[in-house]
Amino acid sequence: MAVLITGGAGFIGTHTCVELLNAGEEIVVFDNFANSKMSAVENVKKITGKDFPFYEADMLDRDAMEKIFSENKIDEVIHFAGLKAVGESVEKPMEYYHNNITGTLILTETMRKYGCKKIVFSSSATVYGSPKSLPIMEDFPLSTTNPYGSTKLMIEQILRDIYVSDKEWSIALLRYFNPTGAHESGLIGEDPNGIPNNLMPRLIKVATGQMEAMTVYGNDYPTKDGTGVRDYIHVVDLAQGHLAAINWVRNHTECDAFNLGTGTGYSVLDLIHSLEAVSGKKMAITYTPRRAGDIAACYADPTKAKTILGWEAKLGVEKMCEDAWNYAIKHQ
Ligand code: WQD
């Protein structure tokens, strides 16, 4: 009677493992370490004091998926595994479609074979493209501007079609806004392989002196200070949203989408000032033209997750910066 966490060694995966274990859930985890490390899995065990089966495996390996499902009684799946760098996806679309789409099909085919029909999918606010207004609601039009986002939208459609074909399935599509922060222990956090794309890991590299200055992509947006506005959500809040979604799929046979955001937008400069206050480090800033594909502002209407999943984010930007900084100084 376990929950399978695909890509469970990653940033959101490890934090979700911690929340599930702390809630008394049995879990099984696999990861191919494309953007994660075994040490993160060991730290999940250290934080919770609990052990669980872990497989180094790739969702494209049908035999490996067969092995996991034949050796464990899997009742639900939380599906994180996938390539997720927007810029890289533009350069390598075939790799992104093959890995994310084919991998998901192999996973769901294996689930069906073993009678496992409950899945929580790691989707993204990127499926909203450039929203017509704010805050964003789940019934807004969906469109994408890069292959990474398109894989998320396509997988949402695949899962909806699976539900239409067999109403015994229960599917939660979780649309993350901008996950950031780290577990307060400082043992797990955002630790991408290679050069990070996202704002917080790059801010941390400047605050720790690994990068000279913070590059701010555009300060001419129609926002309060001209820099991009996003709905940053603490990764622990996000992880608890998955626990709420697992409970929902257990008690329903439906397919539905939920925004996991705070409902509040913060600018790039807000994050810079908050991390400066927390770290005591003053950051040099270089303003450049806007980054291709970026939108001015994006933040959620999180009402649906609150009313249907009984979940809402509780942690603010200062806590996100405190925990991200704590993780960074423990992992320099
Ligand atoms: C945030 C803001 C940048 C870096 C992406 C994906 C999304 C999800 C989260 C996976 C923007 C600005 C950033 C820097 C900057 N990923 N910025 N200098 O683009 O909102 O969302 O990551 O699910 O799907 O699209 O996040 O952190 O890259 O950017 O000024 O060095 O920070 O312009 O305004 P984004 P981000």
Side-chain angles (χ1 to χ4, degrees):
M1 305 280 281
V3 182
L4 173 64
I5 321 282
T6 81
F11 174 40
I12 304 167
T14 48
H15 287 82
T16 301
C17 289
V18 167
E19 297 308 316
L20 287 172
L21 289 167
N22 286 345
E25 296 286 347
E26 295 294 319
I27 67 171
V28 175
V29 180
F30 80 79
D31 201 297
N32 69 356
F33 297 132
N35 192 28
S36 55
K37 302 177 181 76
M38 185 64 199
S39 57
V41 177
E42 297 307 331
N43 283 331
V44 168
K45 297 179 179 180
K46 196 181 293 183
I47 291 168
T48 60
K50 297 186 176 177
D51 198 1
F52 50 87
F54 175 81
Y55 296 78
E56 183 175 356
D58 192 314
M59 60 184 172
L60 290 170
D61 181 346
R62 196 180 289 274
D63 291 340
M65 294 302 102
E66 187 74 32
K67 177 176 170 62
I68 291 168
F69 277 83
S70 63
E71 292 181 355
N72 301 277
K73 178 72 178 73
I74 307 289
D75 288 287
E76 301 94 10
V77 173
I78 301 181
H79 182 26
F80 292 110
L83 298 174
K84 55 151 278 185
V86 170
E88 184 185 53
S89 76
V90 176
E91 295 159 18
K92 301 177 178 176
M94 287 187 274
E95 287 78 1
Y96 268 68
Y97 286 116
H98 180 60
N99 184 79
N100 293 3
I101 306 294
T102 309
T104 299
L105 288 172
I106 290 170
L107 173 70
T108 50
E109 286 163 2
T110 310
M111 286 175 67
R112 178 178 60 184
K113 179 176 179 181
Y114 284 86
C116 174
K117 297 183 176 182
K118 294 181 181 299
I119 185 169
V120 174
F121 174 57
S122 165
S123 189
S124 167
T126 201
V127 301
Y128 294 114
S130 185
K132 61 181 192 286
S133 63
L134 293 170
I136 298 174
M137 302 180 77
E138 287 85 351
D139 61 357
F140 272 24
L142 304 179
S143 69
T144 54
T145 58
N146 59 76
Y148 157 75
S150 297
T151 68
K152 291 297 186 183
L153 187 52
M154 289 176 187
I155 293 168
E156 283 200 11
Q157 188 57 58
I158 289 166
L159 293 172
R160 287 184 190 280
D161 290 340
I162 289 173
Y163 173 70
V164 169
S165 74
D166 177 355
K167 294 288 194 313
E168 288 184 8
W169 283 75
S170 187
I171 301 168
L173 310 169
L174 302 185
R175 293 171 180 164
Y176 309 159
F177 281 71
N178 286 62
T180 191
H183 189 266
E184 60 188 5
S185 65
L187 289 173
I188 54 175
E190 194 167 10
D191 186 14
N193 295 343
I195 299 172
N197 300 297
N198 289 133
L199 180 65
M200 182 62 83
R202 293 171 73 98
L203 285 177
I204 291 290
K205 284 198 179 297
V206 176
T208 55
Q210 298 171 70
M211 277 170 57
E212 282 286 302
M214 189 59 205
T215 304
V216 175
Y217 299 134
N219 63 341
D220 59 348
Y221 284 106
T223 60
K224 66 172 185 175
D225 58 24
T227 63
V229 169
R230 297 291 185 275
D231 184 333
Y232 297 97
I233 176 171
H234 198 295
V235 64
V236 172
D237 274 332
L238 193 63
Q240 288 172 354
H242 289 74
L243 186 56
I246 278 289
N247 288 321
W248 184 79
V249 295
R250 278 180 179 151
N251 301 310
H252 294 81
T253 50
E254 282 181 69
C255 180
D256 211 349
F258 302 93
N259 288 339
L260 295 193
T262 67
T264 305
Y266 288 96
S267 73
V268 176
L269 289 178
D270 286 334
L271 270 285
I272 290 174
H273 297 150
S274 184
L275 188 64
E276 285 179 333
V278 160
S279 65
K281 308 283 185 185
K282 187 85 176 111
M283 282 187 255
I285 296 175
T286 305
Y287 290 100
T288 68
R290 300 177 179 184
R291 178 174 65 176
D294 271 356
I295 56 178
C298 175
Y299 52 90
D301 178 333
T303 307
K304 187 175 174 185
K306 183 172 183 178
T307 52
I308 296 180
L309 300 183
W311 168 90
E312 61 179 332
K314 297 183 172 62
L315 303 173
V317 164
E318 190 176 341
K319 178 71 169 145
M320 294 176 213
C321 291
E322 278 171 13
D323 291 336
W325 179 243
N326 180 47
Y327 176 73
I329 54 182
K330 290 184 175 174
H331 284 259
Q332 280 201 62

